[in-house]
Amino acid sequence: MVLIRSRPRPFVSVPALPVLLCALLWAMPPTAAHASEGPGTSADVARLYREASTATARYEEVHRAAGIQKVKVRKLGRLLAEERHEAKALHGDLGRLASAQYRSGGGLPYTAQLLLADSPDDLVRGEQAFRQADLAVNSVVAKTRRAAVALAVAKREAARAKRVLERRNVRLAQLKRDIRRKLETARWTLQGEADRSVAAGKCRGAVRLDQPRRPVTRAWVAPVASYELSAGFDSAGEHWAHRHTGQDFAVGIGAPVRSVGAGRVESVSCGGGFGIEVVVRHKGGHFTQYAHLAAVTVERGDRVRPGQWVGQAGTTGNSTGPHLHFEARRTPHQGSAVDPLKWLAKRGVRL
């Protein structure tokens, strides 16, 4: 498999996949899907994907908090260094003023200095300068002490945040491992159910899964949220009689597959080289196909909105690994495909 480019994926990694190929031959007559079914394994997989995403978000949140503490410590450290530098410079100025005062009679009482001075005004100005320098030094010393206290507090907070991060990392790592193990089991259980239904020629009906709470606001979206692009449109392969007619997205079994735009479900079928597949009709007479699914969440005739789940990715049909085969077509039938990347790009979706 030659990767074209990649997008971020959820923390649950997709196992190293062999070349992901889609069959364009031997298409058996599609079998209509039966009535809607309970969510079952499909819901378990969807739930585990959500839990994986939540665990990852928590992990990143703690890391961001620890990073903020580190930035705060560095900033306070720089401030303290500046205050100490200023105090050192003022201490030097005060020392020079004191030396000058001593050389000009600093050992005599101040009244005697005024009587003996060639210029009493100069003496007064010198004394005022000395006192101002002394006050400035005291002010900077106080600021330096406050900066040192603030730095010490920030370091303690950063150390505490680090300990919290380490403890949470241990818990989150265990949580991730548990979710990954459960998800892996659930995914292959879902795939096994799909394979058995396809082999029996009796496609399972639509499973009605809870959709994401945040609706998609764009008119067109990618068919999957996180992915790696694998086999591209018009590429050659020994498993195809002709050229590849779609774009493959390397995703894990059970990953939600989305309708790229608003439309109506034209067909839901299984049993051929594409395995379980959904075709959606869009405005303007265009069609999109979503193939090699492990489950479907829609039925023929359903209206769908952009980003709505139409199924879950899998590896049914003539497929050598989990992925989504996506096509953009001029008709609902095979043989009318156009380059899906260019088709989506015209609609503002760049993959």
Side-chain angles (χ1 to χ4, degrees), residues 227-304:
Y227 55 86
E228 285 184 355
L229 296 178
S230 50
F233 178 76
D234 203 34
S235 56
E238 61 182 14
H239 286 244
W240 308 317
H242 303 291
R243 311 287 287 188
H244 192 223
T245 57
Q247 174 63 57
D248 287 352
F249 295 78
V251 292
I253 294 170
V257 173
R258 313 182 298 184
S259 175
V260 296
R264 186 184 291 274
V265 177
E266 179 78 9
S267 64
V268 177
S269 59
C270 69
F274 286 121
I276 300 174
E277 63 171 319
V278 172
V279 176
V280 176
R281 176 193 292 267
H282 302 283
K283 185 177 180 180
H286 298 280
F287 299 82
T288 53
Q289 179 212 28
Y290 312 81
H292 301 312
L293 303 176
V296 296
T297 59
V298 292
E299 296 176 344
R300 181 181 180 183
D302 284 355
R303 288 191 177 277
V304 293

Side-chain angles (χ1 to χ4, degrees), residues 23-32 197-203 269-277 317-318 334:
L24 300 180
L25 286 177
W26 331 317
M28 297 167 58
T31 306
S197 68
V198 170
K202 296 180 179 180
C203 293
S269 59
C270 69
F274 286 121
I276 300 174
E277 63 171 319
N318 190 6
Q334 182 180 339

